[in-house]
Amino acid sequence: MKVIETLPSEDGFYMPAEFSPHYGCILIFPERSDSWQYGAYAARKAFVQVCTAIARSEKVTVCASSRQYENARRMLPSHIRVVEMSSNDSWARDYCPTFVTNGRVIRGINWSFNAWGGLTDGLYFPWDKDDRMARKLCDLYDKSMYDASGFVLEGGSIHSDGEGTILTTEACLLSAGRNPDLTKEQIEEKLKQYLGAEKVIWLERGIYNDETNEHVDNICAFVKPGEVVLGWTDDKSDPQYELSRSCLEILENSTDAKGRKIRVHKLRLPKPVTITAEECAGLDTMDFQPTRTPGERLAASYVNFYISNGAVVMPFFNDPADEPARAKLAELFPDREIIPIYARDILIGGGNIHCITQQIPAFSAEESQSP
Ligand code: KQY
């Protein structure tokens, strides 16, 4: 795999929006028993549903460990590719490559991954296999790679409109466990250089109790250039209210890279979702892994959807807000099917459908070799 020594912005490369055409999608088969209750059995079933929904309109590749390879191959339909690859867990969004394009070819970015905060406030140790995945996948797809491994970043902490604007949160990118030696201005410059952007919109906060230090992909997402959905509650007694209100104020007072005022569509959140004692009992404990406690609030949000070529694959929580959220996304994505998946077993791991996926932007077949 060729490592490119220049910066994407110098080469005319940028991160396309998720709603732009994809070549495919990568996921990682879940198995660790301290992330996924009862040996990850229910999580694997939910992942299979997500993979199958995405594979209706784009190529899906699932990475599975040697222990789970046969099981993944058996559980997944034959048109989904399964490759054996080791990882520490299953968060493809965060450590598979972020792909950038110049409109003709795509290249991957290898960020540094330290399990959402390393030894400061990270969520597991070690994370070395996760951190190798971006390089392995650039090799697998025969894509040249920009090596940003001096800079800690997860894919779930950024969204791009594909037209020069990046969304992120201060709570995450300025957290002590990621790049403590860089100022906000220096971090913004890195985002612009690697993602080919001109403008970064900094939200202060994300979803309450989101253990990623509040990734943007759980609170706010572009639905088209100049328009976003925002996780919202009208309940002023909910700690989420102030977090969402702060985002709204920032977004309503922001323009994007093209000078457009941002239009905000509120996506009402489900009622607080908490983990049960029975679910906690099904989670193994491990040194360094914060153990969930019964009653702990999980970071449930409908914003954590994946936009495939033909669909929006969204989480459901068996909540009265499920159907209004589905209807809102159907209105915002009139050309895509909305596919809801009951996602509690993914949420228990600490993320949701967007967090377990990583899109590969479209590239033409004759240009699929490394340039
Ligand atoms: O991107 C994510 N939301 C991943 C969270 C991982 C948490 C590990 N338990």
Side-chain angles (χ1 to χ4, degrees), residues 32 34-36 89-95 113 115-116 122-124 154-157 210-212 215 217-218 289-290 292 299 304 346-352 354-356:
R32 62 182 289 160
D34 52 357
S35 282
W36 313 100
D89 202 358
S90 304
W91 305 102
R93 174 65 47 187
D94 290 340
Y95 37 79
F113 177 73
W116 309 275
L123 300 175
Y124 51 66
E154 305 100 42
S157 68
D210 184 329
E211 63 193 10
T212 63
H215 272 181
D217 71 344
N218 215 15
Q289 167 83 345
R292 298 205 192 287
N304 212 300
I346 305 174
L347 178 65
I348 287 172
N352 221 309
H354 195 254
C355 309
I356 62 167

Side-chain angles (χ1 to χ4, degrees), residues 198-257:
E198 288 112 50
K199 172 120 192 207
V200 179
I201 299 178
W202 290 87
L203 305 178
E204 283 172 351
R205 301 293 303 270
I207 290 288
Y208 177 73
N209 226 21
D210 184 329
E211 63 193 10
T212 63
N213 304 101
E214 304 173 19
H215 272 181
V216 76
D217 71 344
N218 215 15
I219 182 78
C220 189
F222 285 109
V223 293
K224 58 173 74 153
E227 295 190 30
V228 298
V229 283
L230 174 67
W232 186 259
T233 176
D234 291 315
D235 179 358
K236 293 194 173 136
S237 69
D238 185 332
Q240 181 60 46
Y241 180 81
E242 279 308 317
L243 274 56
S244 292
R245 201 200 47 75
S246 148
C247 292
L248 182 65
E249 200 173 301
I250 291 166
L251 289 162
E252 285 184 338
N253 289 297
S254 296
T255 50
D256 65 12

